[in-house]
Amino acid sequence: MIRPDLLLKPTPKGLYCPPGDFYIDPVRGAVDRAVVTHGHADHARAGHAHVLATPETLAIMASRYGEGFAGATQPLEYGETVEINGVTVWLSPAGHVLGSAQVVVEWKGLRMVCTGDYKRRRDPTCRAFEPVPGTHVFISEATFGLPVFRHPDSDQEIAKLLASVRASPDRTHLVGVYALGKAQRVIKLLREAGYHETLYIHGALEKLCKLYEEHGIDLGPLETATLDTSERGAQERFRGQIVLGPPASFHDRWGRRFPDPLPCFASGWMGVRQRAKQSGVELPLIISDHADWDELTDTVREVDPEELWITHGREDALVRWAELQGRKARPLRLVGYEEDAFE
């Protein structure tokens, strides 16, 4: 079998496929051809000449960057194959956000799978992760690649939020969520938990929530959390309500206008108490869109590749674990993927 680095190799711009002449999630400068795993900004950039991705990811990129975000686009459904300069490429669900995909690359009998970002937890807003059989080289993210990271059940965290709302009916619960993926997932989990009241959202979430609904994800009644300071007592209508917005928005004037705000943050990093404390989070909600340590290691066992490549996070710990398991592993040291974002 050919050497894996002849098919995919790390470069300053991202993973590059020499025989296919394309990049996976290039992050430094525009390229001629990019295969994009999902719509988060640290993986999906505007300006490439050609972009191949799922239809949902292309829609997300168009929503965020404008219709002309690339010279040309090519939608590829999950499981559909395409030949790029003799290299076979297809996409498998990654379970990270709407439209997220693992990129499967095949050439001369070698199958390599790049996960992009992924999770194994149930998510009612996107297709679940699907392991790719017959994988020779598995390229896994490792955002939470330390044994200390073991995320609790997401429904349990939503129950914590609702219990707090009941216990503090005079306070506004401000829930920090990233605009793509986390916002819609938290909203949908709240609906599944029986919370059918209007949810108030920051304007920055509005466009992507609408996009999710256009793709069949019913988010229930939403209203923009607009504060009319000229109207007497306008803030009072938010007392006892749940307001969702980007984490940074709660530290500016917009967030401080709500009555007796109770800051929350839905993030895998909320499992680190010091981070929650430093961020001024009163109610940390450990809800992550990435695999935790057990899910990372269980996935490697399930896929059972001949070789493991690790990127996007705590690479060394997962490499060491793999070696102790008798597996061949290497860190990729790719740069440009933000540790704290979109988790």
Side-chain angles (χ1 to χ4, degrees), residues 41-299:
D42 61 335
H43 291 255
R45 304 287 175 91
H48 304 308
H50 304 85
V51 172
L52 182 147
T54 63
E56 296 86 352
T57 294
L58 294 177
I60 288 166
M61 293 179 73
S63 175
R64 305 191 95 177
Y65 303 131
E67 292 294 335
F69 69 87
T73 61
Q74 181 177 356
L76 193 66
E77 299 284 356
Y78 295 128
E80 182 183 356
T81 62
V82 65
E83 296 286 326
I84 304 178
N85 299 324
V87 176
T88 300
V89 177
W90 55 282
L91 305 176
S92 181
H96 181 55
V97 297
L98 180 68
S100 61
Q102 304 169 77
V103 178
V104 186
V105 181
E106 301 175 341
W107 186 59
K108 295 186 176 181
L110 176 64
R111 172 176 288 179
M112 302 181 72
V113 176
C114 177
T115 66
D117 292 334
Y118 76 97
K119 70 173 177 291
R120 303 302 303 268
R121 304 293 173 100
R122 189 187 72 84
D123 183 341
T125 68
C126 67
R127 282 274 297 271
F129 179 96
E130 295 180 11
V132 177
T135 297
H136 299 111
V137 179
F138 188 57
I139 306 170
S140 174
E141 67 134 311
T143 302
F144 290 102
L146 289 173
V148 69
F149 292 116
R150 288 180 163 91
H151 304 321
D153 181 76
S154 300
D155 292 336
Q156 170 187 320
E157 298 301 287
I158 292 296
K160 273 172 42 179
L161 171 59
L162 293 177
S164 181
V165 171
R166 291 191 296 269
S168 303
D170 293 332
R171 304 187 68 182
T172 305
H173 281 67
L174 302 182
V175 183
V177 287
Y178 292 111
L180 171 58
K182 187 64 64 64
Q184 297 77 24
R185 184 181 174 205
V186 167
I187 290 170
K188 192 66 176 176
L189 289 174
L190 282 165
R191 302 309 187 194
E192 290 186 343
Y195 189 87
H196 301 299
E197 306 298 322
T198 296
L199 288 167
Y200 296 91
I201 60 173
H202 188 282
L205 309 184
E206 196 170 6
K207 186 184 293 186
L208 286 168
C209 284
K210 183 179 179 181
L211 186 148
Y212 265 64
E213 294 200 305
E214 289 171 351
H215 283 81
I217 310 298
D218 181 12
L219 300 178
L222 303 175
E223 285 188 23
T224 305
T226 304
L227 284 165
D228 185 356
T229 54
S230 65
E231 182 183 338
R232 193 169 187 175
Q235 291 104 322
E236 290 304 304
R237 73 188 183 101
F238 293 103
R239 203 175 285 279
Q241 303 299 319
I242 298 175
V243 178
L244 299 98
S249 68
F250 298 149
H251 299 293
D252 59 23
R253 288 181 58 196
W254 181 86
R256 291 194 296 271
R257 291 177 179 178
F258 293 100
D260 197 7
L262 194 159
C264 318
F265 187 14
S267 165
W269 295 111
M270 289 298 96
V272 182
R273 291 183 182 179
Q274 191 61 24
R275 286 206 180 200
K277 185 177 180 180
Q278 288 173 347
S279 302
V281 175
E282 189 170 335
L283 181 64
L285 302 170
I286 309 170
I287 301 175
S288 177
D289 284 335
H290 291 265
D292 67 8
W293 175 260
D294 289 333
E295 291 162 337
L296 289 168
T297 55
D298 287 348
T299 300

